[in-house]
Amino acid sequence: MLAGKNITLGITGGIAVYKAAQLTSNLKAGGADVRVIMTRSASAFVSPLTFQTLSGNRVYSELFEPVMEWKVQHIELAAISDLLVVVPATANILGKVAGGIADDLLSTVIMATTCPVLFCPAMNVHMYQNPVVQRNLTVLKDLGYHFAGPGKGRLACGAEGPGRLAELDVIMEKIQALLPSKGDLRGLSILVTAGPTREPIDPVRYLTNRSSGKMGYALAGAAAKRGASVILISGPTNLQVPHGVEMRYVETAAEMFNEVMEYFPRVDIVIKAAAVADYKPREVSGQKIKKTGANLVIECDKNPDILAELGRRKAHQTLVGFAAETSNLEDNAHQKVRNKNLDLLVANDVTLPGAGFEADTNIVKLVYPGQYVLPLPIMDKTALAHRILDEVLKLRSNGQ
Ligand code: PMT
């Protein structure tokens, strides 16, 4: 999976440095060429020799070393990296990058690189919750830097809360998701739906739900990155259009139905991550409904079930649905697979912390026809999107 990939690890000074040593070993075992940059304080926790031995490469630390190589180090390291992972990322390095400071080798390489940069923060809970650190995280996220964690739990300083380095498998999944595309979806056309629908009540009010669109946009972005031609049909969200994706915006379930049916005959795969309103108000008032002394009753009609209709019309397409459940997840999921004629259902219990609506992560079970169920661990939505696409490819190679 990682063969031929150049991964640069930036190690900064925190107790979680010892876990970065294991990550170095895992990346190397996966076939990556790993280069390590250590800050001075990182070297106070673990000797550079450890990383040199595990990576099989010399460890870089000083910006202005006596000339050992002809090439300018920070430019060379920045240019050859497919991915730069800062692990652990202290409040100090986050602050420096957010503030545009490049005063040592690591911060200079981060400034000079054009590859994706993944920060894996780890620090004391109060440092993490400090508004300055929170502001820096927001700045960095807005600038397109990527994050894994931090996780929650008992910290080395004895405190409890957010600030632990993310688990290594979470970091590995994120690394895989951020590495350049395998191109394995080239030649395939994929329709993804995302976000909520809005069903108008009057000119100022509507019925909707809590979908942010993150899950569907992650799927569309991941599929485009892997070479698919992607159409994303989205309800209202605040998200950026993923690179390389053809966008269609809709508001109501009826509008989503029409767009989806128009594209359906031309696509190979449909993934329905949208949270479509099951009901819409029977009457849409042309004027704002005025408050009176009486209660207001809004009578609703059923919306068309888009996915069930796709299941009826399905010919050569692979059909993937989502299910947002709050109880009896597996029973409900099996029923949806049967009733909607699906090849795969991604079922999430939206009551779990870190799952479902609005979160950056999700916890799902993959449910197949014939009652087979594959539970997945909590995953970042981008990593999960890649996992779902891997499953879709497997299904297609088995003729589904
Ligand atoms: O957008 P996020 O904030 O990232 O949140 C992600 C999510 C929770 C929205 C996503 O993970 C998810 O679960 N999406 C499906 C939500 C949903 O509508 O579940 P459902 O069980 O009600 O519907 C089952 C399937 O039928 C879904 O694929 C849905 O798109 C489809 N459907 C439902 C009703 C309808 N009228 N037409 C449909 O096509």
Side-chain angles (χ1 to χ4, degrees):
M1 182 81 189
L2 300 173
K5 303 291 188 229
N6 286 304
I7 300 180
T8 300
L9 293 182
I11 317 284
T12 66
I15 185 64
V17 168
Y18 75 97
K19 296 185 186 169
Q22 183 62 54
L23 182 69
T24 308
S25 171
N26 294 355
L27 291 170
K28 187 83 182 139
D33 195 358
V34 184
R35 285 176 184 72
V36 176
I37 304 170
M38 294 182 82
T39 62
R40 266 188 216 161
S41 36
S43 310
F45 283 91
V46 173
S47 155
L49 186 60
T50 304
F51 286 96
Q52 183 176 312
T53 310
L54 292 170
S55 69
N57 282 318
R58 63 166 286 219
V59 169
Y60 300 81
S61 50
E62 296 299 328
L63 184 52
F64 301 112
E65 281 184 352
V67 179
M68 294 171 69
E69 293 173 16
W70 176 241
K71 290 169 177 156
V72 182
Q73 247 173 43
H74 64 280
I75 302 298
E76 177 68 2
L77 283 168
I80 62 167
S81 303
D82 294 311
L83 178 66
L84 175 51
V85 185
V86 184
V87 54
T90 55
N92 184 52
I93 190 73
L94 297 171
K96 277 210 259 189
V97 181
I101 295 170
D103 65 349
D104 62 4
L105 183 61
L106 178 58
S107 50
T108 312
V109 172
I110 295 172
M111 188 72 83
T113 195
T114 53
C115 76
V117 177
L118 172 64
F119 287 108
C120 309
M123 66 195 77
N124 163 271
V125 60
H126 300 302
M127 284 175 86
Y128 178 69
Q129 287 168 341
N130 187 307
V132 176
V133 172
Q134 289 300 315
R135 181 201 59 198
N136 291 339
L137 291 170
T138 306
V139 167
L140 292 170
K141 282 180 187 166
D142 288 348
L143 289 171
Y145 289 95
H146 302 273
F147 283 83
K152 276 189 193 153
R154 202 181 66 79
L155 307 179
C157 57
E160 287 272 341
R164 274 171 72 87
L165 187 73
E167 296 302 324
L168 292 189
D169 54 352
V170 172
I171 297 175
M172 282 295 278
E173 276 159 11
K174 190 78 194 192
I175 286 173
Q176 280 168 358
L178 288 172
L179 281 168
S181 153
K182 307 180 249 182
D184 54 359
L185 296 176
R186 208 160 286 136
L188 289 172
S189 173
I190 305 189
L191 190 165
V192 179
T193 68
T197 61
R198 280 181 184 169
E199 310 299 330
I201 297 169
D202 69 13
V204 299
R205 302 181 182 94
Y206 49 79
L207 298 179
T208 190
N209 58 64
R210 289 174 44 207
S211 171
S212 63
K214 286 179 187 173
M215 190 66 248
Y217 279 58
L219 280 157
K225 196 172 168 207
R226 287 165 69 161
S229 137
V230 182
I231 302 119
L232 175 58
I233 300 178
S234 172
T237 74
N238 292 320
L239 302 178
Q240 296 254 358
V241 178
H243 185 68
V245 164
E246 181 184 338
M247 213 50 221
R248 288 281 173 274
Y249 289 105
V250 297
E251 200 148 311
T252 63
E255 286 169 14
M256 187 173 277
F257 182 95
N258 291 338
E259 286 285 348
V260 169
M261 294 309 153
E262 190 186 323
Y263 281 97
F264 188 55
R266 288 181 261 156
V267 299
D268 304 297
I269 298 160
V270 177
I271 309 181
K272 282 220 77 257
V276 184
D278 288 315
Y279 295 95
K280 62 174 181 197
R282 175 163 294 171
E283 306 281 340
V284 181
S285 168
Q287 303 294 321
K288 182 180 169 194
I289 299 171
K290 293 281 176 213
K291 187 164 69 178
T292 66
N295 289 340
L296 175 68
V297 176
I298 299 172
E299 215 176 328
C300 288
D301 287 334
K302 270 181 87 169
N303 266 326
D305 189 321
I306 306 169
L307 190 55
E309 183 57 31
L310 294 180
R312 281 189 281 276
R313 295 188 191 188
K314 185 165 84 170
H316 60 281
Q317 295 92 343
T318 306
L319 203 51
V320 181
F322 269 71
E325 302 296 341
T326 55
S327 63
N328 300 327
L329 180 130
E330 286 194 27
D331 288 347
N332 293 336
H334 290 308
Q335 225 169 9
K336 281 177 188 168
V337 170
R338 275 194 306 273
N339 295 346
K340 303 193 185 201
N341 191 18
L342 305 179
D343 299 297
L344 173 65
L345 183 81
V346 183
N348 38 197
D349 178 343
V350 294
T351 64
L352 295 177
F357 296 106
E358 294 165 320
D360 290 329
T361 53
N362 208 349
I363 307 166
V364 306
K365 289 186 176 176
L366 301 182
V367 182
Y368 297 79
Q371 311 255 314
Y372 178 64
V373 177
L374 177 64
L376 297 180
I378 185 166
M379 287 168 108
D380 170 274
K381 280 181 176 166
T382 307
L384 174 60
H386 281 283
R387 187 73 172 75
I388 293 168
L389 293 169
D390 290 344
E391 289 301 310
V392 170
L393 273 181
K394 273 191 226 160
L395 285 173
R396 289 186 67 82
S397 67
N398 294 338
Q400 274 151 308

